[in-house]
Amino acid sequence: MTFLYLGLRMFRRNLALNVIVILQIIVALLLTNLLVGQYNLASDTLRQTAGFDADATYYYMPDATMDTTGERIEAAAALLAQHEGEYLAEQAVQVFLESTEGKDPMTYAYGPETIAHLDATLGAGVWLDEAQTAAGRIPCVTVGPYRVGEVLTFTLTDGKPLALDENGEPIARPGVQLEFEVVGTLQDTAYILTMNGMSNDPRLDEILELSIYEEEGTPILLCRQADLAQYRQQVDFSFDPADNALMYFPEGRTAASEALVASLSEHTWVTPLSEARARTQEERSKTIQTLLPVILALLFIGLVALVCLTLLNTMRSLRTYALYYICGMRWGDHRKICLGYVVCLLLGAAVLIGPVMYLLGEMLSLGELIFGWNNLAFSAGIVALAALVPLVGPALLMRRETPLDYLNESW
Amino acid sequence: MIELKNVDKTYNPGRPNAVYALRRVSLHIEEGEMVGVIGPSGAGKSTLLHVLGCIDRFDSGSYLLDGREVSQLGDREYSRLRNREIGIVLQDFGLIEEFSVLENVMTPLFFTPGMRGKARRKRALETLNQVGIGNLASRSVTALSGGQKQRVAIARALVNHPRLLLADEPTGALDQKTSAEIMALLHALSEQGHTLVVITHDPAVAAVCDRLYYIQDGTLRDGSAADMARPVVASPAPAQEAPPAAE
């Protein structure tokens, strides 16, 4: 503590310059975390889809044809109907659940292939393929305020706009009350497979959609289509088989599957998942290539400033060190004072980084990033560099100096 | 208390610019004595003070402090001696300008193991009261007069209750009246049982010492008031040999 206090006194000597260095450290930390957070975003989509056979899985999306007549979509549907049994096409079916209290969740029901291959980013609990619940309860994985084991009651409806009676009063939708049991929760900022991509060359982050519960406040509920199938007779939530979907070929990539994909491509947009993955990887690399030089330059400037400032402070403090020496300090302990000084800088950065992040949070879209262990590792690396590199200069300087050189000024 | 035997100290040994700062110096100081060291500039007074204050090491000979051979002690023990057993007062006061009076006096206590914040403050305040400037504790040292600064320096030297107090020209930067006050304070400390070694050019300071040593060209001998009449600058040849910034 003594050396930290003496380091603080050294820190107070050049307060204005030290604050500038603190800001540099903060900027370097922020930008690095921004880059790593961006990298994590792309990596999350790649990781979630790693279990799919990327070469034999295709994503198709009739909406992207922008065909207002619907003819081409119908042709696609006819083609798919003609080849039924040769492939599996699964959608992220959006179903409508109404809550008696709180917000209605955004709900997606997945097919078995999707559930089997998707590696969702679980925060707690288990994924849908391992779910076991009491009879009558539908297992679900959620994003939102729910906890594993919680039982939720919602009304399944067709989601159509409310009809009005002759008096203009809304007529209640037909619905079935269902009990869901939360078997797993995703992280608050997570990619959800929604298959809502709208471009003809989608990246994975268009097939999966980023959900930020803290910002949006809408809970998300994921469940199995099979668990809802029995209610289809009561509530119409059927979907168009030619709508956005992932197409799987159980036999893998064959001549027949390629022929079907080629035929389907004449009527709709078809993208092999491998291409979407490649685009995502390319985008990730591009982000790194763009931001990394800026971050390295800032880090370098920050470190040079820190080294110079520590050296300057040490040179200005040599007489003080000599006085500490006659008071009982060991000459080599100047390193501890320097370290105390650097710790003060880092503590200053730690104290300021919260408010700075809060102020810049919106501007830098920090909420839209995924922070992981690598953020911690890189931040720790920068902090370690900022703590250790500035000690080298004073250590080299002090090797040539003795306390007598500075006491002799008066003696 | 202090016994030096045949102590040698050479700067840049083995080189053409070697300076023989102490040559077979021997002295004996009893506990509670107030001893003055006089001699011309560049004669080796500062080097002697460095050695006595465990600030610098010597090349050969023996230095017994309370019966312990100092030359055999390591760095840690040397610092402990400077911290606990020896208090040093500098001619230019050697105060840290960005510290308050109290913090300056507390400085040795920063390096005393087991001495915590409140205890430090209490001890430093007691010592400031002892030297008569307890009311200045919170003041900046830059706002003090020369006499007050020297009292702060003395308080800092005393704060860890050292048995040996070394003072280098304690009145060198003070006017006559203030010098008399500081010497009265040092004399009072001697009477309280502190052992004092004072380096001085001032006959008034020398006059209150129990004994005097005279040093010239690194050689020490018993001194007397008559030595005060000698030139304060060393003779040309040895002066060139002395360490450049020794005094």
Side-chain angles (χ1 to χ4, degrees), chain A residues 2-3 5-6 9 13 319-320 323-330 404 407-408 410-411, chain B residues 46 50 55-56 76 79 82-83 90 92 94 98-99 103 110-111 120 168 245-247:
Chain A
T2 294
F3 292 103
Y5 175 76
L6 297 177
R9 300 308 301 241
R13 259 189 179 182
R319 164 96 170 137
T320 305
L323 293 172
Y324 290 158
Y325 178 81
I326 64 167
C327 289
M329 184 184 87
R330 293 168 74 189
L404 290 177
L407 293 174
N408 280 344
S410 61
W411 291 18
Chain B
S46 293
H50 295 165
I55 291 168
D56 202 2
R76 190 177 294 274
S79 352
R82 287 195 305 274
N83 183 245
L90 307 178
D92 72 347
E98 58 269 31
F99 280 13
E103 284 173 319
F110 289 140
F111 307 106
R120 269 184 213 153
D168 180 45
E247 282 178 282

